[in-house]
Amino acid sequence: MRRLPPRTLRGQLTAGLVILLAVACLAVGVTTDLALRGFLMGRLDEQLTASGGRFAASLEHEAEPDADNRPDTRGQAESTFGARLLNGTVTAAGVVDDATDRSLQLNDDDRRVLARIPVDGNGHSIRLSGLGKYRVTAVDGDDQDVLITGLPLHPLEETVHRLEAVETVVFGAALLATAIAGALWVSISLRPLRRVTAHAAEVAALPLASGEVAMPGPLPDTDPRTEVGQVGTALNHMLGHVEDALTRRQASEERLRHFAADASHELRTPVANIRGHAELALRHNGPVPDDVHHALERIDSESQRMTRLVDDLLLLARLDAGRPLDHEPVDLTLLILNATDDARAASPDHHWLLDLPEEPVTITGDSHRLQQAIGNLLANARTHTPPGTDVTIALTTDRSSVRVNVSDNGPGIPEEVKAEVFERFVRADHTRSRSTGSTGLGLAIVHAVITAHGGTATVTSRPGHTIFRLTFPC
């Protein structure tokens, strides 16, 4: 698998430091090798120039029996190569071995290489099959011949390779030490940034969307001379604004809750009086004009709807205020059966299906509020699906939770409403039509009741399949 580059700032800084040092070491190593190679090659060329082709010139006498005419090896370094060419043909070749001469047999490739050497007195590098790499010079002889003298490149190559090995060890150790020391130094330098990150993560973990939140204290790393200090200062200012906004929002929500509770409580009496007078007027035995009778019926109907709205608002206000619920054993199976019977009576055109376990399921909670929550779910399915829709109420359990699922094969919930379906006064019908009798508080009550019981309420929906799921801890 292809390795990815480090993603953390610490890894990137350490890797960047090591890479820069590696590039610098490579540049130093290459420059040093080239300089040393050039220096040694220059010294080698100076030795060849100083030899003046004497050894190559003496090779033409090596076949004579007179000992005084043997090749001149005085002052010649060991492995010195010499060759004599006449009309482009090698007539003699030899190499100094232990301060004596040793004739050398050349193959055709070697002869062609020697014949191509420019006669300019400058150094040239060649490779001979029997000797390896050599540095040679070619000069004109006194007998219309060409004298070639060479020195081996092997000592030069060994010196350069030895330097390369030393550089590899030294630079490798330097890179390793730099990587370790750099990682430690970067880690120490990034401590303030890690504190800023931990502080931001602590704030991000707070439930800022619900209720009053205690914000953590300000960051101590606020030195304006450093980048991390500037970030810390900006974060402290931002958290101060967030805390102020949350405090204002909490105060506004508290005032709204108190208003809703007070208004609901105060409206109960006049609404009850209006409803009572309307019912009393409808019971009048005397003749009542039809339009007056119709008006009284409308007053009674609207007062009943207003009573339900006031009761729902008062219930939500009490739940928001954290009023304790009853904690008693509740037979959830029986509760679902009763709620389904009520829904079937209210809408016989829907197909009400049950999927219940064989044994009764009991949880601890407020029976009345749970009955209201499940009844609201069934009423929601009845209201927002056409006649003939299949509505299934399923009850399942496992070791950790109890789940109530209410599913239907109706048209589904619009995407723009799905995310806020449990909010208050939210309707799928944005025209706010009263034809369905919905107040937009039914699902909000479901969510509030289930949350007060320590559970969760969720919904998934698509055309032809909608499921509301209530989950209670065992």
Side-chain angles (χ1 to χ4, degrees):
M1 296 178 62
R2 182 173 59 89
R3 289 188 174 273
L4 297 176
R7 295 183 179 272
T8 63
L9 182 59
R10 174 186 176 184
Q12 291 179 358
L13 291 176
T14 305
L17 178 64
V18 173
I19 290 174
L20 289 176
L21 182 59
V23 172
C25 291
L26 180 62
V28 171
V30 171
T31 303
T32 305
D33 287 356
L34 293 177
L36 179 62
R37 184 180 294 273
F39 173 76
L40 296 178
M41 198 73 75
R43 294 292 300 273
L44 208 59
D45 290 343
E46 290 177 0
Q47 294 181 34
L48 292 174
T49 302
S51 66
R54 293 191 303 273
F55 175 62
S58 65
L59 289 176
E60 61 179 313
H61 305 294
E62 65 178 342
E64 297 180 6
D66 188 356
D68 294 334
N69 294 328
R70 294 183 63 82
D72 183 7
T73 60
R74 292 175 297 174
Q76 303 295 329
E78 184 177 352
S79 301
T80 300
F81 168 78
R84 177 176 176 272
L85 280 75
L86 185 62
N87 297 325
T89 302
V90 178
T91 60
V95 62
V96 176
D97 188 5
D98 295 332
T100 62
D101 70 295
R102 175 170 60 87
S103 60
L104 183 65
Q105 298 296 326
L106 302 175
N107 56 29
D108 294 338
D109 292 336
D110 295 336
R111 296 176 185 275
R112 283 192 292 269
V113 169
L114 294 174
R116 288 197 296 268
I117 297 175
V119 186
D120 53 9
N122 297 325
H124 301 278
S125 298
I126 64 172
R127 176 183 290 274
L128 299 175
S129 59
L131 298 177
K133 292 183 178 180
Y134 262 73
R135 186 73 172 177
V136 298
T137 59
V139 297
D140 292 322
D142 296 334
D143 300 328
Q144 304 297 320
D145 55 0
V146 175
L147 305 178
I148 297 176
T149 306
L151 290 173
L153 289 175
H154 179 66
L156 183 148
E157 297 290 346
E158 282 187 347
T159 303
V160 173
H161 291 331
R162 190 177 297 113
L163 176 63
E164 291 174 349
V166 172
E167 288 177 339
T168 300
V169 173
V170 172
F171 291 161
L175 288 175
L176 180 61
T178 301
I180 297 174
L184 293 176
W185 177 255
V186 170
S187 179
I188 294 173
S189 301
L190 292 180
R191 281 180 181 175
L193 185 59
R194 286 198 296 272
R195 285 195 291 268
V196 172
T197 303
H199 197 76
E202 182 181 358
V203 174
L206 295 176
L208 300 180
S210 60
E212 187 174 0
V213 177
M215 300 293 288
L219 273 169
D221 302 295
T222 56
D223 187 354
R225 296 171 299 178
T226 65
E227 290 80 359
V228 176
Q230 296 170 9
V231 173
T233 301
L235 184 61
N236 284 338
H237 289 164
M238 182 188 70
L239 293 181
H241 293 316
V242 171
E243 184 175 14
D244 182 62
L246 290 176
T247 302
R248 292 175 179 270
R249 186 198 69 179
Q250 182 67 19
S252 176
E253 289 182 354
E254 288 294 334
R255 289 194 297 268
L256 183 60
R257 290 193 186 103
H258 291 159
F259 170 77
D262 294 342
S264 300
H265 182 74
E266 294 298 330
L267 284 173
R268 295 184 75 180
T269 300
V271 169
N273 290 335
I274 293 172
R275 183 177 176 185
H277 285 293
E279 291 178 353
L280 181 61
L282 287 172
R283 293 176 184 173
H284 180 63
N285 294 327
V288 178
D290 291 340
D291 54 348
V292 175
H293 189 274
H294 177 71
L296 291 173
E297 288 180 342
R298 293 300 304 145
I299 291 174
D300 182 59
S301 175
E302 290 300 309
S303 62
Q304 292 181 21
R305 192 176 65 82
M306 188 176 292
T307 300
R308 292 194 298 270
L309 176 60
V310 169
D311 290 341
D312 290 345
L313 286 173
L314 189 58
L315 172 60
L316 287 172
R318 289 172 176 172
L319 292 173
D320 289 340
R323 297 284 183 87
L325 299 175
D326 292 339
H327 287 79
E328 58 185 15
V330 178
D331 188 345
L332 205 55
T333 305
L334 179 61
L335 191 149
I336 292 174
L337 288 172
N338 293 335
T340 306
D341 288 340
D342 296 339
R344 186 177 289 113
S347 179
D349 293 334
H350 284 74
H351 301 155
W352 302 96
L353 308 175
L354 290 171
D355 183 8
L356 304 176
E358 296 180 358
E359 298 295 330
V361 177
T362 302
I363 64 172
T364 300
D366 191 315
S367 175
H368 176 66
R369 298 308 177 194
L370 290 174
Q371 178 80 36
Q372 185 177 7
I374 296 177
N376 283 358
L377 277 184
L378 299 185
N380 181 77
R382 181 183 73 246
T383 303
H384 297 287
T385 59
T389 301
D390 294 335
V391 182
T392 303
I393 304 95
L395 177 61
T396 59
T397 63
D398 56 31
R399 292 184 177 182
S400 60
S401 62
V402 176
R403 290 181 298 276
V404 178
N405 297 334
V406 178
S407 58
D408 64 70
N409 59 350
I413 302 174
E415 287 293 331
E416 63 273 13
V417 180
K418 190 187 303 182
E420 53 185 13
V421 72
F422 290 109
E423 300 293 331
R424 299 170 190 186
F425 300 107
V426 173
R427 297 185 182 90
D429 181 9
H430 289 284
T431 62
R432 304 190 69 84
S433 171
R434 302 297 186 187
S435 61
T436 61
S438 172
T439 63
L441 295 176
L443 293 180
I445 291 176
V446 172
H447 184 270
V449 169
I450 302 306
T451 302
H453 282 79
T456 59
T458 59
V459 60
T460 56
S461 180
R462 63 177 186 273
H465 182 73
T466 299
I467 178 169
F468 285 87
R469 177 175 289 108
L470 310 180
T471 304
F472 303 90
C474 284

